[in-house]
Amino acid sequence: MKLTKNTEDIVRNLFATQKLAVLATQNNGQPYASLVAFVGRDDLKEILFATPKTTRKFANLKADSRVAVLINSSENRPSDFHRAVSVTATGTAEEVPVDERNHFLKGYLDRHPHLTDFIHAPSTACVRVTVNCYYMVQNFQKVIELHINP
């Protein structure tokens, strides 16, 4: 289906209204899903999250940087079947370099101020997902692809 400006606005709206996403990683062919507090960039090119370096998700993304991130507007109500929007972002994940960490921290803490202690812990990794494509689903049937140019 053809991409419209409205598609980008819907993704940005999900970034603005949703604070949690599901991160999918894998290791040796075994998928693994994790809930993460995230922040998305307005240009749609990156999604950022933080995780302890001791987690399975971090070990998985270090072994294979390919990830998917699911963000959705569902509220666990019957109306979700007609109103909810779900977006899956596919891309590659990497730990944010130390010299870029302060820029990451500002955006992340503006969105999640209650995670200040967590994000400043030495055991926490800041992770950037560089998005290749978004797959947006509406009405559980209408699928739109949004390819991101580097």
Side-chain angles (χ1 to χ4, degrees):
M1 182 160 281
K2 187 178 178 191
L3 165 69
T4 66
K5 187 67 170 170
N6 188 43
T7 304
E8 293 179 14
D9 291 340
I10 291 169
V11 175
R12 284 186 188 96
N13 185 58
L14 281 173
F15 283 177
T17 60
Q18 305 303 311
K19 294 185 179 195
L20 298 173
V22 176
L23 171 72
T25 60
Q26 71 88 28
N27 194 2
N28 295 322
Q30 178 60 56
Y32 185 73
S34 308
L35 199 59
V36 294
F38 80 99
V39 61
R41 296 280 188 224
D42 194 50
D43 65 6
L44 306 181
K45 292 183 178 183
E46 296 177 341
I47 296 172
L48 307 164
F49 67 92
T51 184
K53 294 177 184 178
T54 57
T55 61
R56 179 174 286 128
K57 68 178 156 280
F58 189 71
N60 286 355
L61 70 86
K62 292 299 266 184
D64 186 338
S65 65
R66 295 172 300 166
V67 299
V69 180
L70 173 73
I71 306 160
N72 77 77
S73 66
S74 66
E75 297 175 342
N76 206 27
R77 297 176 187 208
S79 62
D80 289 344
F81 289 94
H82 300 289
R83 290 192 215 169
V85 176
S86 179
V87 171
T88 299
T90 57
T92 55
E94 67 179 341
E95 187 171 1
V96 174
V98 174
D99 60 332
E100 296 178 34
R101 193 172 165 108
N102 284 338
H103 182 68
F104 173 97
L105 292 176
K106 168 134 179 53
Y108 192 84
L109 289 175
D110 285 349
R111 184 94 172 120
H112 304 285
H114 56 285
L115 296 177
T116 300
D117 291 342
F118 168 68
I119 198 72
H120 287 294
S123 59
T124 298
C126 300
V127 179
R128 167 180 41 228
V129 175
T130 301
V131 177
N132 298 322
C133 188
Y134 289 96
Y135 300 90
M136 183 175 72
V137 180
Q138 295 174 301
N139 298 323
F140 286 90
Q141 297 174 22
K142 181 180 171 186
V143 179
I144 298 172
E145 290 184 26
L146 171 58
H147 296 272
I148 303 300
N149 296 321

